[in-house]
Amino acid sequence: AARCARAVVDGGGRANQTVLVRNTPIGHPNCTARSAPLAPEQATRAALLGHLPADSPVLRKFTWQLFEQFNAIAARAVRACAACGCFGAGRGALLDVAAMSDARPDLHEFARLRGDADQGDCLHWHETPEGASLNDWWVALLYNTLDALFPDA
C-alpha cells in the first residue's frame, strides 16, 4: 500500500499538500423496508449482504461486497503515506463516513422517492428526522478533521 500511495502522491502531488480520503458506505438491499437505524450488529457487511447469493444482480451491478476491501486499502494507503512522510510537510487523514452511514438504510434517498428497492443504487441520502442529512454529518466530520489538522488556522 505504501508504494502505491507514494506513487500517487509523487506522480501528481505537491510537497505540502493535504490529502483527505473519504471511504464509501455500503448500499443496503431492501432499504425501503427500513424505517429506523440498524443496531450495530445489523450494520455489518456480513449481516447486510451475507444472505445474497454471489451471483446476485445487485452485487454484480454495484459490487457492494467489495466496499469493505476498498475501504481497507484506502485506510492502509493513508496510514502508509503518513508513516513514510510522503505527504511532505502536508497532512493526511481518512474520513470514515462508512461507520456512521452503514447503520442508516432508512435514510436512502432512493427509498424515500421511489418506494421500491429492486434496482436502486441506495447510496444517496435524505434528511434524518432530526433535520440533518448524513451528508451534513459528513461535512461536520470534514470540518472537524480539518480543524484537527490545522488547529492554528
Side-chain angles (χ1 to χ4, degrees), residues 83-122:
C84 75
C86 64
F87 291 135
R91 298 163 174 101
L94 176 73
L95 302 176
D96 185 3
V97 301
M100 70 174 86
S101 305
D102 287 351
R104 297 306 304 254
D106 57 316
L107 297 180
H108 284 300
E109 188 70 20
F110 182 82
R112 186 175 66 89
L113 293 176
R114 291 277 309 274
D116 71 314
D118 291 338
Q119 292 299 316
D121 69 19
C122 294

Side-chain angles (χ1 to χ4, degrees), residues 121-151:
D121 69 19
C122 294
L123 290 177
H124 296 92
W125 310 92
H126 67 89
E127 290 182 351
T128 65
E130 299 80 29
S133 74
L134 277 172
N135 294 347
D136 293 333
W137 289 108
W138 295 1
V139 171
L141 177 63
L142 172 63
Y143 175 83
N144 287 311
T145 300
L146 290 172
D147 190 48
L149 290 172
F150 300 100

Side-chain angles (χ1 to χ4, degrees), residues 36-108:
L38 298 174
E41 66 275 5
Q42 295 174 311
T44 67
R45 303 302 198 266
L48 291 168
L49 301 178
H51 68 286
L52 296 174
D55 63 346
S56 163
V58 170
L59 294 182
R60 282 198 320 269
K61 183 174 181 179
F62 301 115
T63 64
W64 289 336
Q65 72 280 15
L66 301 177
F67 286 15
E68 189 169 37
Q69 293 170 339
F70 296 156
N71 290 344
I73 291 167
R76 281 195 309 271
V78 169
R79 282 193 307 272
C81 269
C84 75
C86 64
F87 291 135
R91 298 163 174 101
L94 176 73
L95 302 176
D96 185 3
V97 301
M100 70 174 86
S101 305
D102 287 351
R104 297 306 304 254
D106 57 316
L107 297 180
H108 284 300

